[in-house]
Amino acid sequence: MKAEEQFVHSSGGLLLGVMGDPIAHSKSPQMHGAALQALGITGAYVPLHIASERLGDAISAIRTLGFRGVNVTIPHKVAVMEFLDQLDESAASIGAVNTIVNDGGRLTGYNTDGIGYVRSLKAEAAPELQDTRILVLGAGGAARGIIHSLLKERPAELIVANRTPDKAVQLAEEWSTLGPIRGIGLEEAPSFIEGTDLVINTTSIGMHPKVDGTPFSADLLAPGMVVSDLIYNPLETRLLREARERGCTAHGGLGMFVYQGAYALEYWTGRPAPVDAMRQAMLECMGS
Ligand code: ATR
């Protein structure tokens, strides 16, 4: 019997959810609800508003209530790790968990943000990453996830540029054995854009409601470059619009969100995720 069938039989449905604080804005319930429906799986994916001081209790409740798994979002991605039985290699290296799988009471933490991002990038904008030159803006939690996965693609060089330069330098040192990575200050980034194949914004510059913001001048971009932005609200940031107008390939953050969820769903159900239905549900709840 497959793992998800055990849960379907024991509880009358597959129980899934997302834990965060706040959580009301999360679009994961709609996306995963559509996915369960498309797969014909009886179950529910519920938003769970969990304050930090109750996180340990909430994780225990996954076992008690027989949840097959949950996603974990801000602010619990790091703090949740101490309450789990084991960590997948991705979560341990990145230092954050966004997906928990419950195998008969044993909880494993995964990080699907990085692999979700790379799957989306390759499917939608840059099929081949080997030997490319990559510039990543930002060195926070989101950057860590994607850089870890990008280095597995064996780029020629990956430069991390951050407002607080020390954070980028430290990250590069920590992962120097994973690939050719270097940390610099954000103000140095413009001089590295020429000759770069792929520029990725992981900062919040340009995110709703400050949609006029952009991390650097589009004048620096050359046609043929791939410009990627982790932001998905708005669907097309100013950076992406200007990049597209200059003949670059623009890649938005919606795909990353869809594919991080797709990997999580695949871990929980053992079945290929209905990616198109998930993307459609996201677009619908974003009103486009
Ligand atoms: P996330 O999980 O979204 O990455 P985070 O861990 O708080 O969130 O990291 C935010 C990143 O965006 C950091 O790299 C941050 O730079 P600092 O380390 O210097 O704080 C960057 N960032 C946020 N706002 C920024 C701004 N206005 N200008 C430049 N960088 C900014």
Side-chain angles (χ1 to χ4, degrees), residues 74 77 137-144 161-165 167 186 202-205 207 230:
I74 292 167
K77 287 186 179 190
L137 308 180
R144 284 183 72 87
N162 197 47
R163 178 175 60 183
T164 313
K167 227 158 109 183
L186 191 60
T202 77
T203 77
S204 51
I205 303 171
M207 190 187 290
L230 266 52

Side-chain angles (χ1 to χ4, degrees), residues 163-220:
R163 178 175 60 183
T164 313
D166 278 359
K167 227 158 109 183
V169 171
Q170 276 169 22
L171 179 58
E173 273 171 21
E174 183 185 346
W175 284 347
S176 61
T177 57
L178 300 183
I181 176 170
R182 180 148 59 117
I184 62 170
L186 191 60
E187 69 278 13
E188 294 174 69
S191 59
F192 284 86
I193 289 177
E194 196 186 338
T196 294
D197 301 298
L198 169 60
V199 184
I200 306 167
N201 176 43
T202 77
T203 77
S204 51
I205 303 171
M207 190 187 290
H208 179 82
K210 296 185 180 171
V211 296
D212 288 337
T214 189
F216 61 87
S217 166
D219 296 348
L220 298 164

